[in-house]
Amino acid sequence: MSKEIKRIAILTSGGDAPGMNAAIRAVVRTATHEDLHTYGIESGYKGMIEGNLTRLESKDVANTILRGGTILKTARCEEFKTPEGRQKAYESLLAFDIDAVIAIGGNGTYTGAYYFTREYDIPFIGLPGTIDNDIYGTDFTIGYDTAINTAVEAIDKIRDTASSHNRLFFVEVMGRSSGFIALETGIASGAAATFLPETNWGVDELMVLLKKAAIRKKLFNIVVVAEGNKSGTATELAKHVKDNFPEFDSRVATIGHLQRGGSPSAYDRVLASRLGYEAVIALQNGIYNKALGLVSGKVHFVDFLDAINKKKELDTEKIKMLDVLAM
Ligand code: F6P
């Protein structure tokens, strides 16, 4: 049964991602347009437990579409994983007369939303905000496009010094246990090899590749390694090469949290704006307790449980292509 929604609370949780502010802005502006009130919850579920809510008006989100990070701040909250924590959060929402919550984040955010909505009758809509792009039910997550552009830009710079010194660079990119960032970054940066958690590529394959490169006297190479790669971290792979193939002068660069910051790309701004807008419209139409995304450019809803448990797969054609283009 749908209820009348008058006050919406919004939060960002988990790792920040460029474009989160554009989504917050879209929610606030759409809600204002629909004569609804928006409340910003500071620091994700932690702020919900502590009752840290503030009214957000249209002017409060001016000049935010271009800003990285999140104006609402974010946190990973252990207490929300407990029934007692969620009870406190519920009481805070009641104190502010909140009718619905829009939660922007990744898997942990959706897990919190799932448990909360099983226990309490305040509807949630989840928006996918993570650089990792590892959320089922949406082709792209907010922040992913910016993160891969940042990684590619960084590798382009590494390439200059790598080629000048004829060095082999192992570049580690983020992505937790999935290889979306590494796959696109590997393709776009013209990497000689790309190590993904989803493939069986190991040191043996790397050795074969390097032998071929050595015969061609190609000592300068870029190898992209996903942080979740199972056959070794960038540092471990580099050590293996040093021990077994000393003619390669190896170095390691970890791009790290650089990938999380910066002004969102135009793609992320548009994606975040669309999702923020659609989240408010969905709540008005009585669509509750769903994760919202875009599939083939169209608005798509999935249950929180599916978004949490189903695995989004990498494009196998792109993985095949990586092998063809390597070295
Ligand atoms: O989920 C986003 C992400 O940046 C992952 O790619 C990475 O594994 C993790 O967060 C890092 O988390 P933290 O910022 O807590 O170190």
Side-chain angles (χ1 to χ4, degrees):
M1 256 251 297
S2 69
K3 63 177 190 177
E4 198 189 352
I5 305 282
K6 292 196 217 91
R7 290 171 166 227
I8 297 175
I10 178 163
L11 63 86
T12 49
S13 151
D16 61 341
M20 280 181 161
N21 287 327
I24 297 165
R25 171 182 176 272
V27 167
V28 173
R29 296 263 162 106
T30 309
T32 306
H33 182 264
E34 299 295 306
D35 281 333
L36 313 177
H37 288 180
T38 314
Y39 284 76
I41 304 177
E42 193 174 308
S43 301
Y45 292 128
K46 179 172 172 283
M48 197 190 269
I49 290 171
E50 292 168 358
N52 204 346
L53 282 77
T54 319
R55 178 80 200 277
L56 284 179
E57 302 199 48
S58 206
K59 65 176 171 26
D60 298 319
V61 290
N63 279 326
T64 59
I65 195 163
L66 70 170
R67 283 175 58 191
T70 159
I71 56 167
L72 290 177
K73 300 196 182 295
T74 184
R76 304 190 203 273
C77 178
E78 287 303 311
E79 198 182 352
F80 198 73
K81 293 180 183 163
T82 67
E84 296 75 25
R86 293 192 291 273
Q87 164 83 34
K88 281 193 217 160
Y90 176 64
E91 283 159 15
S92 302
L93 295 180
L94 284 189
F96 281 84
D97 271 335
I98 299 299
D99 301 307
V101 176
I102 296 173
I104 310 172
N107 211 279
T109 310
Y110 284 6
T111 306
Y114 169 70
Y115 282 107
F116 185 91
T117 51
R118 264 184 13 165
E119 294 161 350
Y120 301 105
D121 62 351
I122 296 183
F124 267 58
I125 290 286
L127 298 187
T130 165
I131 61 164
D132 300 338
N133 199 33
D134 58 347
I135 303 280
Y136 177 85
T138 188
D139 287 342
F140 299 106
T141 56
I142 297 165
Y144 171 61
D145 183 68
T146 308
I148 55 180
N149 279 298
T150 300
V152 170
E153 207 183 309
I155 293 176
D156 287 350
K157 290 180 177 154
I158 289 169
R159 184 177 272 278
D160 287 343
T161 175
S163 96
S164 303
H165 285 264
N166 255 350
R167 280 178 173 155
L168 167 61
F169 259 85
F170 289 87
V171 185
E172 189 164 297
V173 294
M174 277 189 167
R176 207 177 286 276
S177 54
S178 70
F180 287 97
I181 294 180
L183 176 59
E184 299 287 310
T185 302
I187 294 170
S189 64
T194 303
F195 284 77
L196 307 168
E198 292 84 353
T199 57
N200 300 322
W201 257 65
V203 283
D204 293 344
E205 286 77 9
L206 182 63
M207 289 299 115
V208 171
L209 215 68
L210 292 181
K211 265 182 207 148
K212 283 192 209 155
I215 291 166
R216 286 162 33 229
K217 302 223 171 338
K218 187 174 184 281
L219 299 178
F220 138 61
N221 289 292
I222 302 283
V223 174
V224 170
V225 184
E227 69 170 328
N229 177 50
K230 296 195 188 83
S231 58
T233 62
T235 307
E236 287 161 353
L237 293 172
K239 181 168 183 323
H240 191 87
V241 171
K242 199 171 178 201
D243 295 345
N244 294 284
F245 233 135
E247 60 260 61
F248 282 97
D249 184 14
S250 312
R251 292 288 186 280
V252 176
T254 302
I255 303 181
H257 287 78
L258 266 181
Q259 290 152 104
R260 287 250 292 268
S263 184
S265 65
Y267 184 88
D268 272 330
R269 296 182 198 193
V270 175
L271 173 68
S273 299
R274 272 193 81 187
L275 293 178
Y277 165 84
E278 293 291 350
V280 176
I281 303 300
L283 285 170
Q284 285 194 311
N285 289 335
I287 299 173
Y288 296 163
N289 304 336
K290 301 273 180 196
L292 167 54
L294 290 188
V295 172
S296 304
K298 297 267 182 294
V299 172
H300 188 76
F301 295 94
V302 290
D303 290 336
F304 281 128
L305 206 53
D306 285 340
I308 299 160
N309 290 332
K310 293 194 176 166
K311 187 164 164 48
K312 184 157 104 188
E313 303 293 345
L314 293 188
D315 182 339
T316 48
E317 289 305 316
K318 283 186 184 165
I319 297 177
K320 262 194 235 158
M321 188 178 83
L322 265 183
D323 281 354
V324 174
L325 303 185
M327 288 284 173

